[in-house]
Amino acid sequence: MEIRQLEAFVAVATKLHFGRAAEALHMGQPTLSDMIRRLEREMGTPLLRRTTRRVTLTSAGSELLERAKRILDEIAAAGVAVQRVGRGDAGTIRLGITPLAAPILAPHLVQEFRARAPDVEVEIRRMWLFHLEQALAEGEVDVAVTCGIVPDPPNGVSEVICGEPLLVSIRADHPLAERDSVTLTDLAEQTLGIQSEALFPAWVLAQRQALETACISPRTVELADNHVAAATWPSQPEIDWILTTRSIVQPEMAAVVRPVTFPRLVPYTLQWRPERTPSAAVTRFVGMTREAIPPGWSKVRDPEPHRIDRDRR
């Protein structure tokens, strides 16, 4: 049984007229009649009663008509669904992110993409940097977003898509607290509080890259606060300052927050594996990230100079 045979049968069984059915199908009546005869031979029973005056359905024909309609409807729906997936209008994207991308960037990207492809589901999976890289390599996520500049994954691509303004948090009585902004070199001789690398490897990597860009190596002390925002850092008297961003800074932090003039951005990197892209929706999402920048952030074309130490990741 062929789809064309079912289409021919449904046309005749609906119109109950070979001439009108042939016209609707844009074929000759002899061809249509032959298709119906072959279908009846395959079914092993008459489907239509033909007289010189009318065409009617047999009981077997009535049974086949309802089933044939459902089959053709399913085939048509399948065709539409496949075309939508092929255009990237449907499907699922598995987006892996590190914690710093969670508050602002990831929700912004999902919202922007939903406006363009409302029927595509975006699954957000929060992971530490090591697990994220592993998940991308093993195909457990389609796209990865992390702060900091990271090297290309195996058989994949890394692209810095945007940058979030870098901030510094200092005590209210700090000499620099009266300034509108600070430069990291102003704090080079003072103790920096930094998150645990085991808990926040991507954020620690991004901070180290900022320090390297500024060409400073301040003394560092690990923060006792195990939250990425480190809002309670002023309770550690040996710490003079920390780095932060609007994504994570909390209003209850008992400290002053100021913009950093250089380096002024925390870069965010998008990673994917083009040869393993499972759908057009993923390709559309990757393309969109290059222009869907959160308000107040910047598009980064040429990242500031940096040096990646692979062993520290």
Side-chain angles (χ1 to χ4, degrees), residues 35-96:
M35 293 177 68
I36 298 299
R37 282 193 294 269
R38 286 192 291 113
L39 179 61
E40 288 178 321
R41 286 197 299 269
E42 292 177 17
M43 294 290 98
T45 185
L47 302 172
L48 299 166
R49 297 186 188 93
R50 309 163 180 81
T51 68
T52 56
R53 301 182 61 183
R54 60 186 302 192
V55 176
T56 60
L57 287 168
T58 64
S59 57
S62 297
E63 178 70 20
L64 179 59
L65 177 60
E66 296 307 314
R67 294 178 181 272
K69 285 180 177 179
R70 288 197 294 269
I71 291 171
L72 294 177
D73 286 345
E74 285 295 322
I75 291 173
V80 172
V82 168
Q83 290 173 2
R84 293 181 69 246
V85 171
R87 293 193 303 267
D89 292 331
T92 300
I93 299 171
R94 300 167 299 171
L95 173 62

Side-chain angles (χ1 to χ4, degrees), residues 88 93 113 143 272 274 277-290:
I93 299 171
F113 192 70
V143 188
W272 74 100
T277 300
S279 69
V282 174
T283 302
R284 284 187 66 185
F285 183 85
V286 169
M288 181 214 66
T289 60
R290 299 186 178 101

Side-chain angles (χ1 to χ4, degrees), residues 47-211:
L47 302 172
L48 299 166
R49 297 186 188 93
R50 309 163 180 81
T51 68
T52 56
R53 301 182 61 183
R54 60 186 302 192
V55 176
T56 60
L57 287 168
T58 64
S59 57
S62 297
E63 178 70 20
L64 179 59
L65 177 60
E66 296 307 314
R67 294 178 181 272
K69 285 180 177 179
R70 288 197 294 269
I71 291 171
L72 294 177
D73 286 345
E74 285 295 322
I75 291 173
V80 172
V82 168
Q83 290 173 2
R84 293 181 69 246
V85 171
R87 293 193 303 267
D89 292 331
T92 300
I93 299 171
R94 300 167 299 171
L95 173 62
I97 62 172
T98 52
L100 208 67
I104 293 179
L105 182 56
H108 175 77
L109 293 177
V110 171
Q111 181 179 7
E112 288 289 315
F113 192 70
R114 185 172 291 127
R116 307 178 189 208
D119 294 329
V120 176
E121 181 181 1
V122 182
E123 298 178 353
I124 296 180
R125 305 181 183 183
R126 294 181 61 166
M127 304 177 181
W128 304 136
L129 183 58
F130 170 78
H131 295 137
L132 184 63
E133 292 174 336
Q134 185 177 25
L136 185 66
E138 295 177 356
E140 295 178 8
V141 297
D142 304 313
V143 188
V145 175
T146 181
C147 63
I149 301 172
V150 295
D152 290 342
N155 302 315
V157 176
S158 292
E159 180 180 342
V160 176
I161 54 173
C162 60
E164 180 181 14
L166 182 64
L167 307 175
V168 63
S169 178
I170 53 181
R171 301 178 191 278
D173 59 355
H174 193 283
L176 298 178
E178 299 301 321
R179 295 189 184 181
D180 293 331
S181 60
V182 301
T183 301
L184 293 191
T185 53
D186 296 331
L187 297 162
E189 303 303 320
Q190 300 182 37
T191 301
L192 168 68
I194 198 163
Q195 284 82 355
S196 166
E197 187 169 12
L199 292 178
F200 304 105
W203 178 217
V204 171
L205 172 66
Q207 292 180 77
R208 285 178 171 162
Q209 290 174 349
L211 298 176

Side-chain angles (χ1 to χ4, degrees), residues 285-307:
F285 183 85
V286 169
M288 181 214 66
T289 60
R290 299 186 178 101
E291 55 188 73
I293 309 302
W297 292 34
S298 298
K299 188 171 184 177
V300 179
R301 295 184 180 276
D302 297 308
E304 292 161 329
H306 66 282
R307 177 171 57 85

